[in-house]
Amino acid sequence: MEPSEIVLTIPGQPEFLRLARMAAADAASRVGLTYEEIDDLRIAVDELCFAVMGEDSAGSPLTLVYQILPGAVSVSGSSPGDGLAPVQSELSRTIVAAVVDEHELGQRDGMRCFRLLKRGSAQEANATG
Amino acid sequence: MTGSNDAVRTAPADELRREFIEYRRTGDRKLRNALVERHVPLAEHLARRFAGRSERQDDLTQVALLGLLKAVERFEPERGLAFSTFATPTILGELKRHFRDAGWSVRMPRQLQEHVLEVTKCLGPLTQKLGRAPTISEIANETALPEESVIEAMEANRAFSATSIEAPTDDDDALAPLDALGRSEPGIERIEHEMLVTSLLDTLPQRERAIVMLRFQDGLTQSQIASRLQMSQMHVSRLLARTLARLRDIMEADEHTERALHRGRRPAP
């Protein structure tokens, strides 16, 4: 049976986001998202991870939880960051909203955090393939 | 409350603009040095983005400062762009040129290169055959690669673009597709206003700007953009990734400078 959750902790530095994107791609491929949908998911993961990391050049750990759901992937991320609430620019919000079905960014219990949901559209194709 | 914050925020920006206008008028070296000094945190911030790449941090900062100096010399305040918006690509360009000149590059293992090529080659025909974008398993079947190799190839395609981020017109298809796009794309002005990022988009080469708007405002898929601009979907994906990274760099730098100005750090002597 497929595991339903993947937990990944990386240093909050841009050079480690490759791991976050690849884990997202792997989780998404397990539920049959298309190549383009996975690329969209990777864009959103990138944007929101950057927003959560903020200006924290020390690279506080960033913990990501990928949930493999029926026909969808949910990704949550949290980091202490620089201690301030994350701010999402208008451009970033526009980009993320265009590529995933749901997303939120904020601060909870002193942690900067985000959550996103990406649904796939290729379920029929998967079933017949 | 927002209004009063904005009023406080704009004061240093106006002051800065006045100083740039004064420098453009007089060519006063002392004023130029003060402008450079004032933006040292921006250069340091951008140099840190390249940390850990076998170069000493203070060397990188020096390179970034050179880029900053060039930006101060070239900045035209009357165009209405924030200085940091203008300076960031210049500084990043200087840093990237430094790595290129120093022989630094991301070397992709040969096998991975082959995987990227195989995936790239199969995407178009497979998309046509299926009438939609393929899944990872469909690409894996088509190329006889394991699924994880397909995912690696996706990531490698993106990483590979990092080496050529400042070479937006190095592809054969750089200009022709823009001709195909035409200049009278309906709604472009409206889109720009809606996104409230006109000045950011203005810093992009025309092709990248078109891709961002087609993807995020018109809602076209990567395949549709690829078809419209007569390039491969992988190429659209690569351009999109590097364009977003570039926009993010500029936005971060803007925020960084604004905060530094607000705190009154490194005041002009």
Side-chain angles (χ1 to χ4, degrees):
Chain A
M1 185 178 163
E2 290 277 345
S4 61
E5 194 170 279
I6 301 165
V7 181
L8 175 69
T9 300
I10 56 174
Q13 291 166 343
E15 56 267 41
F16 289 94
L17 288 187
R18 176 174 195 261
L19 297 172
R21 291 192 299 265
M22 287 188 72
D26 189 274
S29 74
R30 289 169 193 271
V31 292
L33 264 64
T34 68
Y35 188 91
E36 287 193 12
E37 288 162 347
I38 293 175
D39 223 27
D40 285 349
L41 174 64
R42 285 157 17 110
I43 286 172
V45 166
D46 229 28
E47 282 296 324
L48 292 171
C49 284
F50 264 104
V52 161
M53 290 184 326
E55 282 283 305
D56 178 22
S57 55
S60 304
L62 172 63
T63 299
L64 296 140
V65 180
Y66 304 82
Q67 286 186 307
I68 299 168
L69 308 168
V73 175
S74 150
V75 185
S76 311
S78 61
S79 170
D82 54 14
L84 303 169
V87 179
Q88 189 172 25
S89 70
E90 190 61 33
L91 176 64
S92 175
R93 204 184 340 267
T94 304
I95 289 169
V96 179
V99 293
V100 294
D101 297 282
E102 296 170 17
H103 86 279
E104 56 190 3
L105 174 71
Q107 195 174 29
R108 197 180 311 130
D109 301 327
M111 300 284 277
R112 297 159 69 101
C113 51
F114 76 80
R115 191 192 70 83
L116 68 82
L117 181 75
K118 176 73 181 169
R119 295 191 186 95
S121 60
Q123 300 317 300
E124 291 167 29
N126 235 23
T128 56
Chain B
M1 188 168 162
T2 309
S4 60
N5 280 346
D6 285 345
V8 173
R9 280 176 158 200
T10 53
D14 287 345
E15 185 189 319
L16 192 62
R17 192 177 302 281
R18 275 197 299 275
E19 286 179 21
F20 269 110
I21 290 170
E22 180 68 7
Y23 173 56
R24 294 274 291 174
R25 193 177 64 80
T26 62
D28 179 354
R29 282 293 179 100
K30 270 173 69 177
L31 187 53
R32 182 197 69 178
N33 293 347
L35 287 165
V36 169
E37 178 71 15
R38 204 163 168 170
H39 290 92
V40 166
L42 171 65
E44 289 173 340
H45 170 76
L46 293 172
R48 274 199 298 275
R49 295 291 297 265
F50 290 79
R53 290 189 182 183
S54 76
E55 295 281 321
R56 283 175 40 191
Q57 193 58 43
D58 50 354
D59 288 345
L60 289 182
T61 304
Q62 287 302 315
V63 174
L65 286 173
L66 178 62
L68 173 60
L69 180 63
K70 287 182 180 174
V72 167
E73 293 287 359
R74 293 173 193 163
F75 183 57
E76 296 171 11
E78 58 275 13
R79 287 186 59 198
L81 275 182
F83 174 70
S84 50
T85 303
F86 173 80
T88 300
T90 309
I91 297 171
L92 288 174
E94 200 65 32
L95 285 161
K96 281 160 188 156
R97 201 160 26 251
H98 168 74
F99 280 113
R100 209 159 46 226
D101 294 348
W104 176 88
S105 65
V106 175
R107 283 194 185 280
M108 200 191 295
R110 188 171 181 79
Q111 191 184 39
L112 192 50
Q113 280 182 37
E114 286 167 4
H115 290 173
V116 171
L117 279 176
E118 282 179 63
V119 171
T120 309
K121 255 173 38 186
C122 95
L123 270 178
L126 197 52
T127 303
Q128 274 203 323
K129 189 169 114 188
L130 297 169
R132 58 167 170 78
T135 64
I136 297 295
S137 66
E138 286 163 346
I139 298 169
N141 278 340
E142 187 74 15
T143 55
L145 291 171
E147 290 189 16
E148 59 260 37
S149 295
V150 177
I151 291 171
E152 274 177 9
M154 277 181 92
E155 184 62 34
N157 178 54
R158 176 197 182 105
F160 184 60
S161 71
T163 60
S164 57
I165 194 166
E166 288 302 310
T169 56
D170 58 353
D171 304 294
D172 294 341
D173 54 6
L175 290 175
L178 282 173
D179 295 339
L181 182 69
R183 290 182 176 273
S184 57
E185 188 65 17
I188 278 191
E189 289 301 318
R190 177 183 57 79
I191 288 163
E192 285 179 345
H193 288 301
E194 277 180 8
M195 288 184 78
L196 301 173
V197 289
T198 311
S199 64
L200 278 175
L201 293 176
D202 275 349
T203 67
L204 297 176
Q206 199 182 357
R207 178 182 55 175
E208 277 78 346
R209 187 161 158 250
I211 290 174
V212 166
M213 289 194 288
L214 288 172
R215 179 67 192 92
F216 299 114
Q217 288 297 311
D218 290 3
L220 266 60
T221 65
Q222 290 185 9
S223 298
Q224 288 167 330
I225 297 170
S227 156
R228 192 153 174 181
L229 301 188
Q230 296 164 25
M231 60 176 74
S232 73
Q233 185 269 325
M234 280 287 256
H235 195 50
V236 171
S237 166
R238 197 183 308 144
L239 289 173
L240 206 49
R242 81 178 184 194
T243 302
L244 295 182
R246 181 172 174 163
L247 288 175
R248 191 160 46 223
D249 279 342
I250 294 171
M251 277 191 296
E252 273 186 15
D254 276 352
E255 287 163 15
H256 187 81
T257 304
E258 195 168 316
R259 272 200 299 276
L261 286 171
H262 215 176
R263 282 197 302 264
R265 284 174 56 185
R266 295 179 184 273

